């Protein structure tokens, strides 16, 4: 029986992917094989020695100690794209809120609760509605920074709204490029993008290269009255720089999903309480993807959507399988295969992939190696974990 530890409430639709006749799921376990979580802040010392893999039902993994997991040979999975539609729809709403006086109009109407004369109210509204006049999105230019799963969907939706779309993504993958509409104009640098767009939306992960990327110098190059949307990560934007740019008139508006004390009450800001992926559908999609990935890893050793291990998959043959993680250094695979050969254990099929400092091997063998052979493999300098999938 495989034991799965859940550290947040995980959608039932996701948990149903783990059959109860093979999986035991609980919020407390002494020796879990895997961890499923959402936003729980996981510390290295909180990860039991028995854990083989960790899956987050969401895209970001800044609440998981990825480096410590890699050191221990634990792949960390996320669910890119599972919540993309939820975020895309919120971005469209944010564009509308930033271009029309919707919120201000609603707030004004709420002040009229003591009026009882309908005709008088209609007359007043006809007089006051000019204060909430806005602009249409059609014909305006949207800049999309980061053209992955969410960014490409936002770009497509903006095109459907009649907007001109410009994109910036120096790390654009081949897969993302195929997904992207040919009507999206690629821009080579951020300063150029910020100087040409009426709206900018951010869709980047938090990395050393992206932390504080939106700074005061960049905001000084903004097109007049630019609306900046941040529904990606708070750390991408230098909050002090945004406040300064708003106060100096270099930035027209800041719309974000990341409130913080310094931003509350600042004019020309619209802040939502971390609701980018807060839909029933997104939570279901993320949980299903996370559960499927953990299940395939536990049962077959396959890895998909890991942030620290290579993507690797091999169809199961009717034979035992070894799943081995090791440092990405020379002669590792040769040393492992030599130990199997010494014991006359025939290799039926195998695949080896690496990512940065880690390598991972799936080796189908004609027979299960004895404990002594498995220990010899684990004792090879550089080998981190050895599993038998029988």
């Amino acid at each position: 029986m495989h034991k799965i530890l859940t550290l947040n409430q995980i959608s039932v639709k996701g948990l149903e992917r783990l059959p109860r006749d093979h999986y035991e799921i609980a919020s407390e376990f002494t020796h879990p094989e895997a961890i499923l979580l959402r936003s729980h802040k996981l510390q290295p010392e909180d990860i039991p020695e028995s854990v083989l893999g960790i899956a987050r039902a969401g895209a970001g993994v800044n609440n998981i100690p990825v480096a410590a997991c890699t050191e221990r040979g634990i792949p960390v999975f996320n669910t890119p794209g599972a919540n993309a539609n939820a975020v895309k729809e919120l971005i469209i709403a944010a564009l509308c809120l930033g271009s029309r006086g919707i919120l201000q109009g609603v707030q004004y109407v709420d002040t009229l609760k003591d009026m009882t004369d309908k005709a008088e109210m209609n007359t007043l509204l006809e007089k006051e509605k000019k204060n909430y006049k806005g602009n249409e999105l059609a014909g305006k230019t949207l800049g999309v920074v980061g053209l992955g799963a969410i960014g490409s969907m936002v770009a497509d939706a903006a095109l459907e709204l009649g907007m001109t779309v410009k994109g910036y993504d120096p790390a654009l993958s081949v897969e993302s490029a195929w997904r992207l509409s040919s009507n999206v104009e690629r821009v080579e640098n951020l300063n150029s993008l910020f100087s040409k767009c009426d709206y900018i939306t951010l869709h980047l992960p938090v990395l050393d290269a992206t932390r504080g990327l939106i700074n005061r110098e960049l905001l000084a190059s903004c097109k007049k009255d630019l609306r900046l949307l941040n529904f990606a990560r708070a750390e991408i934007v230098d909050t002090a720089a945004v406040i300064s740019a708003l106060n100096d008139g270099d930035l027209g508006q800041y719309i974000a999903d990341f409130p913080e004390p310094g931003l509350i009450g600042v004019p020309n800001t619209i802040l939502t309480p971390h609701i980018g992926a807060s839909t029933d559908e997104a939570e279901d999609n993320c949980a299903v993807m996370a559960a499927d990935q953990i299940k395939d890893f536990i049962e077959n050793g396959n890895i998909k959507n890991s942030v620290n291990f290579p993507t690797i998959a091999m169809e199961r043959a009717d034979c035992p399988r070894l799943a081995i993680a090791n440092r990405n250094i020379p002669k590792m695979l040769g040393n492992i295969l030599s130990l199997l050969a010494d014991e006359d254990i025939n290799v039926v099929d195998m695949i080896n992939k690496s990512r940065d400092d880690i390598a991972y091997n799936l080796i189908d063998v004609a027979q299960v190696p004895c404990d002594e052979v498995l220990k010899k493999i684990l004792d090879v300098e550089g080998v981190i974990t050895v599993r038998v999938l029988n």
Side-chain angles (χ1 to χ4, degrees):
M1 187 72 72
H2 303 295
K3 296 182 177 181
I4 310 296
L5 174 66
T6 58
L7 296 179
N8 293 103
Q9 185 173 348
I10 305 296
S11 164
V12 172
K13 288 189 176 181
L15 299 181
E16 287 175 346
R17 310 290 283 202
L18 304 170
R20 292 301 186 270
D21 55 342
H22 288 91
Y23 290 86
E24 186 179 353
I25 302 167
S27 58
E28 290 186 15
F29 269 127
T30 305
H31 301 292
E33 285 182 68
I35 296 175
L36 277 174
L37 77 169
R38 290 168 59 198
S39 59
H40 179 90
K41 185 69 173 178
L42 192 62
Q43 302 296 337
E45 59 271 19
D46 298 331
I47 305 173
E49 289 296 323
S50 57
V51 168
L52 304 173
I54 298 172
R56 180 176 189 269
V61 292
N62 54 320
N63 58 318
I64 300 172
V66 176
C69 290
T70 306
E71 190 69 20
R72 288 176 50 180
I74 300 172
V76 176
F77 301 88
N78 67 348
T79 58
N83 60 9
N85 188 69
V87 179
K88 178 207 74 176
E89 290 185 1
L90 188 59
I91 296 295
I92 301 306
L95 287 170
C96 293
L97 292 176
S99 60
R100 304 286 294 272
I102 299 170
L103 287 178
Q104 299 87 338
V106 169
Q107 291 165 357
Y108 170 69
V109 169
D110 284 343
T111 67
L112 307 180
K113 59 185 178 181
D114 294 331
M115 291 189 72
T116 57
D117 189 308
K118 182 178 179 180
E120 180 186 358
M121 181 177 288
N122 286 338
T123 300
L124 179 62
L125 292 175
E126 284 299 313
K127 175 184 175 184
E128 295 295 327
K129 69 180 184 181
K130 64 180 181 295
N131 295 320
Y132 309 105
K133 182 174 68 173
N135 301 104
E136 296 181 13
L137 295 172
K140 302 301 187 299
T141 300
L142 172 68
V144 182
V145 182
L147 294 164
I150 298 174
S152 59
M153 291 182 71
V154 170
D156 285 343
L159 290 169
E160 289 292 326
L161 290 170
M163 302 185 78
T164 297
V165 180
K166 298 178 183 294
Y168 172 81
D169 191 340
L172 185 66
S173 68
V174 173
E175 181 181 351
S176 295
W178 276 108
R179 189 169 52 218
L180 198 62
S181 169
S182 60
N183 291 318
V184 177
E185 178 189 341
R186 190 171 181 181
V187 178
E188 296 299 328
N189 66 78
L190 278 177
N191 287 89
S192 176
L193 190 75
F194 271 67
S195 67
K196 294 176 180 177
C197 294
D198 304 296
Y199 302 83
I200 297 275
T201 180
L202 307 174
H203 300 288
L204 299 167
V206 177
L207 307 170
D208 290 341
T210 61
R211 197 177 302 273
L213 180 68
I214 311 305
N215 54 33
R216 189 65 186 91
E217 181 182 355
L218 181 60
L219 293 173
S221 66
C222 288
K223 183 176 180 179
K224 181 175 173 58
D225 208 27
L226 170 73
R227 270 81 163 166
L228 176 63
L229 283 65
N230 182 14
F231 288 78
R233 287 288 180 267
E235 296 87 348
I236 295 169
V237 173
D238 182 337
T239 301
V242 164
I243 295 171
S244 175
L246 288 169
N247 291 335
D248 294 345
D250 290 333
L251 181 63
Q253 196 170 40
Y254 184 55
I255 308 170
D257 202 25
F258 311 103
E260 53 184 275
L263 280 171
I264 306 300
V266 174
N268 298 318
T269 60
I270 298 175
L271 304 171
T272 54
H274 298 255
I275 59 173
S278 293
T279 66
D280 291 337
E281 295 84 354
E283 291 181 6
D284 289 345
N285 292 341
C286 288
V288 167
M289 185 182 289
D292 284 349
Q293 290 168 177
I294 278 291
K295 182 174 182 290
D296 196 19
F297 174 68
I298 288 175
E299 296 181 6
N300 302 310
N302 295 330
I303 295 178
K304 182 180 180 181
N305 292 328
S306 171
V307 300
N308 61 336
F309 268 63
T311 297
I312 186 170
M314 188 167 69
E315 285 191 21
R316 288 304 299 268
D318 188 19
C319 60
R321 170 171 290 183
L322 302 180
I324 302 172
N326 58 267
R327 313 289 178 206
N328 188 18
I329 54 179
K331 301 181 180 181
M332 290 299 304
L333 184 57
N335 291 336
I336 294 168
L337 294 178
S338 293
L339 288 171
L340 294 175
D342 290 344
E343 300 296 325
D344 293 325
I345 296 174
N346 187 48
V347 173
V348 176
D349 199 0
M350 64 167 292
I351 186 171
N352 165 271
K353 292 289 181 72
S354 63
R355 177 174 179 173
D356 299 326
D357 296 329
I358 200 83
Y360 186 70
N361 314 271
L362 295 177
I363 305 173
D364 286 351
V365 290
Q367 66 196 70
V368 177
C370 66
D371 290 344
E372 183 181 351
V373 174
L374 294 175
K375 185 178 184 305
K376 286 181 180 179
I377 294 174
L378 189 58
D379 287 342
V380 172
E381 186 175 356
V383 171
I384 307 171
T385 61
V386 178
R387 275 201 300 150
V388 177
L389 309 175
N390 196 6

